[in-house]
DNA sequence: AACATGATCAACCGCCGCAAT
DNA sequence: TATTGCGGCGGTTGATCATGT
């Protein structure tokens, strides 16, 4: 947003002193401080001041210039908009990749990230990331591309070898961004050793969403949008987009090609802008489902029905870094499919997180989750399906297991994902979609 | 055309750490 | 040592624009 015009100033008018000003002891009694968008004349004043006196001592700005802005506001304005070294253009693909890479390492350390990206501000990066996260939350895509995750994981493992287990920050500084939902490091460590992927889900993908904002980087541009399905929700809430720290737990990695040749998989996966429908079979449905049949009404549920890929994920070229070690991939692929995968679509994620945190205090978490998953499978209420005894989620993620082989028309029980009823009813086609996420070894259609 | 929804951006708020007193 | 002021940081909000229905 650019600086508002002078006419807008009167509209914004002068506001009461912020609590922060009060905190800092700023004397705002006689002349109150203005809030809201900066005007160009205010900018000029600030620029002139900083040019003359340099950065810092922001509270002096008002004294010396008469600018009705608090020191903080001045600093922010300068740092985010007026600094001469700022880049004004949109993030380049390289920068986007770098941001994701940095976030995998640092978490929500915007200022630190900004320090690594010349000409970029923490606010800018934060906005970019938050937008991206919103999108990812909706689509259920993994936050990090596999090589970034694995890279960070490897770094983390190296840290493991040399650090104690006394604190999350020490233990997993690179993979456990410190945020509202900080998960005890022990959980993450556990996750690293108990691995299984969670199943994918399908959803409709507006064709417009399949195109990168970058020319020539169109994602899946050759793929009929109706043939794509969504990667599933993250394995564990602690790794979900909402948590701002996640592993690439989507089933796009549950692919033989990826196991055998991660790099080539990455290059030919959904990240691949050259992907064709035939090449992308793991990500495509042989049959379209109704969600994908151009039924727009189905795209309005909470289920994240619009397959708008994160812009980063269209930057395939940058996701083709050297292959991670296969053992790491194996570890990754076997990340456990937990109840949270299913329940994430439920009500408050925070509840799930809290639950997760509680449960992860127990070493039996995966046992518990496993049984729960079974319950979920049995919750398939549609009687045309049956759970096949002796099969389960474990086998589903065998690299060679075909996934999502349910044909169109496959219904799904709301119970499976605890979806709010209204959402289900609004999107009947999603039922088909979601059952497609179930392991075929666990459920089969009774013919 | 009107409305709804989503995306983006700028700015604010509250908290924290640090240095000066 | 306690207090105060300041700067920095991360989270959040609100305005605006774009797009879809």
């Amino acid at each position: 947003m650019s600086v508002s015009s002078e006419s807008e100033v009167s509209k914004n008018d002068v506001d009461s002193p912020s609590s922060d000003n009060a905190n800092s002891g700023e004397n705002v009694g006689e002349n109150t401080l203005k809030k809201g968008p900066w005007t160009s004349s205010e900018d000029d004043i600030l620029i002139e001041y900083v040019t003359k006196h340099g950065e810092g001592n922001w509270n002096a700005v008002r004294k010396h210039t008469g600018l009705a802005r608090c020191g903080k506001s001045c600093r922010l304005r300068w740092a985010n908009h007026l600094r001469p070294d700022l880049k004004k253009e949109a993030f380049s693909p390289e920068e986007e990749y770098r941001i994701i890479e940095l976030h995998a390492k640092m978490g929500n350390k915007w200022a630190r990230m900004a320090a690594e990206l010349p000409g970029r501000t923490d606010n800018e990066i934060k906005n970019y990331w938050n937008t991206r996260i919103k999108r990812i939350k909706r689509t259920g895509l993994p936050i990090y591309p596999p090589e970034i995750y694995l890279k960070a994981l490897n770094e983390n493992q190296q840290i493991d070898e040399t650090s104690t287990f006394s604190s999350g920050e020490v233990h997993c500084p690179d993979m456990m961004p410190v945020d509202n939902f900080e998960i005890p490091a022990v959980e993450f460590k556990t996750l690293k050793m108990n691995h299984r992927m969670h199943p994918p889900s399908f959803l409709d993908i507006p064709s417009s969403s399949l195109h990168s904002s970058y020319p020539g980087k169109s994602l899946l541009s050759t793929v009929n949008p109706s043939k794509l399905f969504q990667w599933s929700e993250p394995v564990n809430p602690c790794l979900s987009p909402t948590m701002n720290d996640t592993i690439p737990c989507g089933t796009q990695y549950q692919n033989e090609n990826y196991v055998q040749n991660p790099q080539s998989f990455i290059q030919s996966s959904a990240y691949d802008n050259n992907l064709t429908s035939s090449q992308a079979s793991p990500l495509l449905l042989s049959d379209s489902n109704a969600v994908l049949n151009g039924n727009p009404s189905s795209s309005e549920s909470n289920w994240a029905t619009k397959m708008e890929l994160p812009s980063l994920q269209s930057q395939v070229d940058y996701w083709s870094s050297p292959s991670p070690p296969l053992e790491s991939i194996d570890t990754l692929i076997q990340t456990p499919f937990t109840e949270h995968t299913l329940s994430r679509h439920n009500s408050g994620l925070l509840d799930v997180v809290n639950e997760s945190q509680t449960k992860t205090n127990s070493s039996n978490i995966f046992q518990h989750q496993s049984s729960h998953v079974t319950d979920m499978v049995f919750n398939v209420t549609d009687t045309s399906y049956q759970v096949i005894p002796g099969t389960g989620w474990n086998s589903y993620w065998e690299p060679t297991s075909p996934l999502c082989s349910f044909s169109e028309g496959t219904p799904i029980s709301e119970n499976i994902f605890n979806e709010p009823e209204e959402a289900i009813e609004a999107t009947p086609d999603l039922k088909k979609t979601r059952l497609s996420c179930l392991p075929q070894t666990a459920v089969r259609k009774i013919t």
Side-chain angles (χ1 to χ4, degrees), chain A residues 75-95:
Chain A
R75 184 187 66 82
L76 207 63
R77 183 67 186 172
W78 175 260
N80 288 344
H81 300 281
L82 303 178
R83 263 167 48 202
D85 61 328
L86 285 180
K87 289 182 185 172
K88 301 291 184 183
E89 66 271 18
F91 284 115
S92 68
E94 290 87 351
E95 286 174 316

Side-chain angles (χ1 to χ4, degrees), chain A residues 292-309:
Chain A
L292 309 175
N293 279 340
N295 179 358
S297 66
S298 64
S299 63
E300 297 303 322
S301 77
N302 297 332
W303 175 256
T305 53
K306 287 187 181 177
M307 178 64 169
E308 185 171 351
L309 295 171

Side-chain angles (χ1 to χ4, degrees), chain A residues 4-14 34-35 37 39:
Chain A
S4 17
S5 65
E6 281 292 347
S7 61
E8 290 171 337
V9 179
S10 56
K11 202 168 53 181
N12 291 313
D13 214 339
V14 175
K34 182 169 168 284
K35 290 202 279 188
T39 66

Side-chain angles (χ1 to χ4, degrees), chain A residues 319-371:
Chain A
W319 287 32
S320 304
S321 61
S323 306
L326 283 178
E327 57 270 27
S328 299
I329 296 159
D330 185 51
T331 297
L332 170 65
I333 287 172
Q334 294 177 50
T335 302
F337 172 50
T338 74
E339 62 183 297
H340 308 305
T341 307
L342 300 174
S343 60
R344 231 204 88 195
H345 304 281
N346 204 347
S347 50
L349 179 59
L350 273 174
D351 294 341
V352 177
V353 172
N354 291 336
E355 186 185 1
S356 168
Q357 286 178 314
T358 301
K359 285 174 180 170
T360 49
N361 289 333
S362 161
S363 60
N364 295 327
I365 177 170
F366 294 108
Q367 203 168 1
H368 169 83
Q369 288 165 338
S370 174
S371 64

Side-chain angles (χ1 to χ4, degrees), chain A residues 38 41-62 64-65 67 69-85:
Chain A
W38 279 64
S41 59
E42 286 178 312
D43 282 344
D44 292 341
I45 292 172
L46 183 57
I47 291 170
E48 186 184 346
Y49 176 85
V50 176
T51 303
K52 198 181 287 184
H53 299 93
E55 297 182 34
N57 205 8
W58 297 109
N59 281 325
V61 175
R62 192 166 60 92
H64 289 126
T65 66
L67 203 55
R69 298 281 184 171
C70 70
K72 269 189 174 185
S73 185
C74 293
R75 184 187 66 82
L76 207 63
R77 183 67 186 172
W78 175 260
N80 288 344
H81 300 281
L82 303 178
R83 263 167 48 202
D85 61 328

Side-chain angles (χ1 to χ4, degrees), chain A residues 179-220:
Chain A
D179 57 26
N180 295 345
F181 309 105
E182 186 174 7
I183 303 299
V186 62
E187 175 172 357
F188 192 79
K189 190 175 183 71
T190 307
L191 279 171
K192 287 191 296 184
M193 298 185 300
N194 298 268
H195 1 266
R196 193 165 307 117
M197 300 303 290
H198 63 296
S201 56
F202 306 107
L203 80 169
D204 55 340
I205 308 155
S207 59
S208 61
S209 299
L210 292 173
H211 297 272
S212 162
S213 54
Y214 299 94
K217 299 261 182 197
S218 171
L219 172 65
L220 302 174

